[in-house]
Amino acid sequence: MSIGHSPTGEPLLTVQPRPKPFFLRRRFLRSFTPSTFAAVVGLVVLLVSGNFLLPFERVQTLEGKMGSKADFFDDEGVQRLLLKHHIRVHVTRTGSRDVATNDVDAYDFVFPSGQPTALLIFNERNRTGKYVTVHRPFVSPIVLATYREYAETLREAGAASVQSDGGDASYYNLDLPLFLELVESGRSWNDLGITGHGTTNGNKVLAQTSNVCTSNGAATYLGLVSYVKRPGVPADEADATALAQRIKPLLRGQGLPAAAPADLYFVPEGKETAPVIVIYEHQYLAHQIQHRNQHGRLDAERVLLYPQTALQTQPEFLGLNADGDRLGRLVATDPGLRRRALELGFRVLDNTGVTGSEVLNQFLREREVPVPSTEASDTRASLPDVQLLERMITVIGDCPAQLGNGPVK
């Protein structure tokens, strides 16, 4: 209120309007309204997604150790799904066999890429009376990844053929016995005529693997090679040693790599340094799915070779305590996690442990990714007994042996 004077000299009283509260003033509304709106939208999203209470609930961090199956737990989609169950996973990456040859007591679970490695751990845990449970959520076959020029060169040499249902020739069948004959011959890619496809490579024909001392993928390829060179499995340790010495040059022709070959395959320089690489199928399929999503087309440069001598790899999730067991059951049964495994290229298993290839095939068709055929395998290889396989691994890789029933520390 203020006091003035009229022309007649009479005092006038003027009543000023009451000031607006600070939260209704224009300057405050201009700066505060957008952030308020964003907070409300975020609250609605949390409510709809079922994650509203996550910030207030305890999230448990589980420790796991594994090789290539770390791709699953490193995925952001998988991490979000696990957070809904109040679980966060911290992964220590190492080769699957390296998991078995070192102490795992500090971990809640391990996830070897194949049964031989899992069996080593399972037997050791049983022998010492320690907790262990087994879950089999999905599989991923061993394949040979290469580039179109090299696949076509192998086709012209009679060692590969285009799959009839491979669409745009993303997949080839590999005559592994003939391929290994080319490896044994010592011929180079130039000798086979790779120059006719616009490139040159004077290196010898060879399939690169991870270090056989640490990797289940390398051990599986070892089993394939040994079966092709002499069908059947070794009879005893002396037989296993002799067979390992015979096939050692086929796996050690360019030494043992320090890094996983799959890391080279998806970078440009890999074509010259490691043109044929042993990987898991899911690694290639996940790459193609992502490439289609990002670029609207397939990566036409990279292709797969499926050995006609087949050997199924069976990843096994081993829970080492009750928390690890709970996680294993979630990975095997939770619909969201199973769906995400498909999106990462894995062949999920049904409740009976049967490979769900048709589920993956349908998923690939929906995303316009060619469906590979695994039915062309006319020979099913068998791995040696786990102890004899260990003997072959140590001979070929010059790596620490397994002693008795327990792993060397």
Side-chain angles (χ1 to χ4, degrees):
M1 182 177 67
S2 62
I3 301 175
H5 292 83
S6 69
T8 61
E10 294 293 330
L12 297 175
L13 297 179
T14 303
V15 178
Q16 300 287 349
R18 178 177 296 177
K20 292 182 179 180
F22 76 93
F23 52 82
L24 293 179
R25 294 176 188 173
R26 184 175 300 172
R27 180 179 299 176
F28 178 82
L29 290 174
R30 231 184 353 247
S31 60
F32 185 72
T33 299
S35 58
T36 303
F37 179 75
V40 171
V41 171
L43 178 61
V44 171
V45 170
L46 285 173
L47 287 170
V48 172
S49 65
N51 292 328
F52 176 67
L53 295 178
L54 276 180
F56 309 101
E57 296 180 350
R58 177 174 173 266
V59 175
Q60 184 178 20
T61 298
L62 301 184
E63 296 289 337
K65 193 175 185 183
M66 68 204 76
S68 66
K69 302 310 171 279
D71 297 342
F72 180 78
F73 291 103
D74 286 344
D75 175 69
E76 291 182 0
V78 170
Q79 292 169 1
R80 285 194 297 270
L81 289 167
L82 287 176
L83 275 177
K84 292 184 177 181
H85 297 280
H86 321 302
I87 293 175
R88 183 179 289 113
V89 171
H90 177 262
V91 170
T92 299
R93 274 186 177 263
T94 185
S96 287
R97 184 177 179 272
D98 191 52
V99 175
T101 56
N102 288 279
D103 186 17
V104 295
D105 284 346
Y107 298 90
D108 299 292
F109 71 97
V110 293
F111 202 174
S113 293
Q115 287 174 312
T117 303
L119 188 58
L120 286 173
I121 301 170
F122 185 86
N123 288 344
E124 171 67 7
R125 303 283 294 186
N126 269 343
R127 186 183 68 84
T128 55
K130 295 179 179 177
Y131 189 106
V132 63
T133 58
V134 180
H135 301 277
R136 300 179 178 90
F138 43 66
V139 298
S140 186
I142 280 287
V143 291
L144 278 68
T146 188
Y147 305 85
R148 190 168 302 281
E149 303 96 310
Y150 292 89
E152 284 298 307
T153 300
L154 290 173
R155 185 183 63 81
E156 292 165 358
S161 59
V162 178
Q163 286 193 359
S164 59
D165 59 349
D168 56 356
S170 294
Y171 313 113
Y172 292 70
N173 294 325
L174 179 68
D175 185 331
L176 190 57
L178 185 51
F179 175 77
L180 293 176
E181 287 180 17
L182 294 174
V183 175
E184 285 184 303
S185 72
R187 298 169 70 186
S188 71
W189 290 105
N190 286 343
D191 294 335
L192 292 188
I194 190 73
T195 52
H197 295 280
T199 190
T200 181
N201 192 326
N203 291 328
K204 293 179 181 179
V205 177
L206 185 74
Q208 290 266 30
T209 73
S210 304
N211 190 328
V212 73
C213 294
T214 61
S215 165
N216 178 79
T220 302
Y221 184 64
L222 180 164
L224 271 177
V225 171
S226 67
Y227 188 90
V228 166
K229 299 313 292 182
R230 200 197 68 185
V233 295
D236 51 34
E237 186 170 311
D239 192 22
T241 300
L243 182 56
Q245 293 287 6
R246 177 183 172 188
I247 67 173
K248 188 173 184 176
L250 301 177
L251 292 101
R252 292 290 300 269
Q254 294 178 13
L256 292 177
D263 295 338
L264 294 174
Y265 182 58
F266 298 110
V267 295
E269 55 269 27
K271 184 181 289 190
E272 286 73 34
T273 57
V276 180
I277 295 175
V278 177
I279 68 170
Y280 290 100
E281 180 192 55
H282 78 271
Q283 295 170 309
Y284 176 87
L285 294 180
H287 168 74
Q288 289 289 24
I289 292 168
Q290 183 179 27
H291 199 277
R292 169 73 80 181
N293 290 340
Q294 291 181 347
H295 305 286
R297 56 181 173 80
L298 294 174
D299 178 353
E301 182 181 22
R302 292 171 174 82
V303 299
L304 286 189
L305 303 169
Y306 281 82
Q308 289 181 284
T309 303
L311 182 58
Q312 183 68 57
T313 57
Q314 175 73 73
E316 295 197 341
F317 182 109
L318 301 181
L320 306 182
N321 53 40
D323 293 328
D325 177 55
R326 175 181 172 236
L327 176 61
R329 283 186 277 110
L330 277 174
V331 173
T333 62
D334 180 80
L337 290 170
R338 286 169 62 83
R339 177 71 176 181
R340 189 57 187 157
L342 281 175
E343 294 169 351
L344 296 174
F346 291 101
R347 298 175 180 268
V348 296
L349 302 180
D350 62 22
N351 293 334
T352 65
V354 176
T355 304
S357 294
E358 185 50 43
V359 179
L360 175 64
N361 294 348
Q362 182 60 34
F363 179 84
L364 294 175
R365 292 188 193 103
E366 291 171 358
R367 279 145 187 79
E368 300 181 34
V369 174
V371 175
S373 171
T374 57
E375 302 304 320
S377 304
D378 51 20
T379 304
R380 295 285 174 178
S382 300
L383 281 175
D385 172 86
V386 63
Q387 295 299 331
L388 296 182
L389 178 62
E390 279 298 309
R391 178 57 185 163
M392 296 180 71
I393 289 171
T394 59
V395 170
I396 290 172
D398 299 320
C399 37
Q402 298 288 331
L403 298 180
N405 294 321
V408 177
K409 306 303 183 191

